[in-house]
Amino acid sequence: MPTYAPAAMVPVRASGLDLWDQNGKHYLDFTSGIAVASLGHCNPALVETLTQQANTLWHLGNGYTNEPVLRLALALTEATFADRAFFCNSGAEANEAALKLARKHAHTKFGAHKSRVVSCLNSFHGRTLFTVSVGGQAKYTEGFEPLPPSIDHIPYNDIEAARAAIGDDVCAVIVEPVQGEGGVMPGNPEYLRVLRELCDKTGAVLIFDEVQSGMGRTGALFAYQGYGVTPDILTAAKALGNGYPIGAMLTTNELAQTLSVGTHGTTYGGNPLAASIALKVLETINQPAFLARVKEASVKLIAKLETLVKDYPNVFSAVRGSGLLLGVVVAEAFKGRSKDIQRAAEAQGLMVLIAGTDVLRLAPALIVSDAQIEEADRLLRLALNELTKPA
Ligand SMILES: *Cc1c(COP(=O)(O)O)cnc(C)c1O
């Protein structure tokens, strides 16, 4: 289906942050597959875990539990506010589960009138009809109507708009602590704190979509821990499996009781293969030294990018983001041209992401070295020199 516009080069193998295409050309990968391969491509410890589990037990279906999924659930609940976990295969499914749980909880506890979902403009929560409708980008829902009703969108980081929108008929407020796809926009701490307060006041459930911001990406295991604002439901996916598909919805005992046997489910969710890999990822990332290094690498990369913005004021205007999820905002003269910058970087052997047409997004693996940060800066400068050289 023509749903994507892939780069012309075709990657064939990779290791850590190094990647090679069909012609043997080398690239430094500062995308980690959209913040997924956080421990690097073909991470040896994960290959070992995958291989071992592949020779032991792959899949059972939900008539049976399994040891890896129980260990993973225990580790995730020990590492977070949550008491319970539901496993699925993607971020969209984790959010779908979160929204369904919030609806059912509100209907059970307060009645059917409490069904409105409040979400933010420019947010991204996945591509199922419910999650894409909750997401705040109209271009992704156009043509798919009729959309699920009772969903309102408010401007991100706007406290007054939140106060006006979150009333007694709201069952869920869903927010990315750091907006990823919407332009790498960090949440304002006060904003997230007010959302918590409004949810407490109205009985709405606060859902943090940490599909992109979670699993160490911001320098905390989950971004909420850095903010000190605790949600009622947290969703994770992307880096949770380092490329092996898995999603998770984490919540409290009280909320979990809303879903009884048969009310929600999935065939693959939490199968032993996915769960064993995710457990290894979690054990690796959730170490003080690992997370401290993410913060250190972040400081170094931000410093490089800030100098770059100063040196190329026609191309870039600002750096923003959190941890190793960073956006470089495109300046007026290059408005709408983030894709051109991305292609120019690729020509020099550097893979980067975009977040919309006006933000270049960098999301290297969390194991990125100082030398790789230096090299990315060098390649990006070569690309910018090419792009800005007089015709
Ligand atoms: C990527 C992403 C999703 C969707 O995840 P999929 O695995 O593609 O379904 C949802 N929310 C956020 C914040 C994301 O970045």
Side-chain angles (χ1 to χ4, degrees), residues 86 88-98 125 128 131 249 264-266 269:
F86 175 83
C88 49
N89 316 288
S90 67
E93 283 172 85
N95 286 327
E96 184 86 17
H125 298 297
T128 64
T131 57
M249 172 186 65
H264 193 60
T266 160

Side-chain angles (χ1 to χ4, degrees), residues 34-36 89-95 123-128 131 174-181 209-213 235-238 246-247 361:
I34 319 189
V36 169
N89 316 288
S90 67
E93 283 172 85
N95 286 327
S123 65
F124 185 80
H125 298 297
R127 299 289 199 144
T128 64
T131 57
I174 181 166
V175 66
E176 295 161 86
V178 181
Q179 283 191 336
E181 303 301 311
D209 178 347
E210 294 233 28
V211 169
Q212 191 157 159
S213 63
T235 55
K238 287 201 166 94
I246 180 168
R361 177 172 35 154

Side-chain angles (χ1 to χ4, degrees), residues 162-178:
R163 285 195 199 284
I166 302 169
D168 286 333
D169 61 341
V170 173
C171 69
V173 176
I174 181 166
V175 66
E176 295 161 86
V178 181

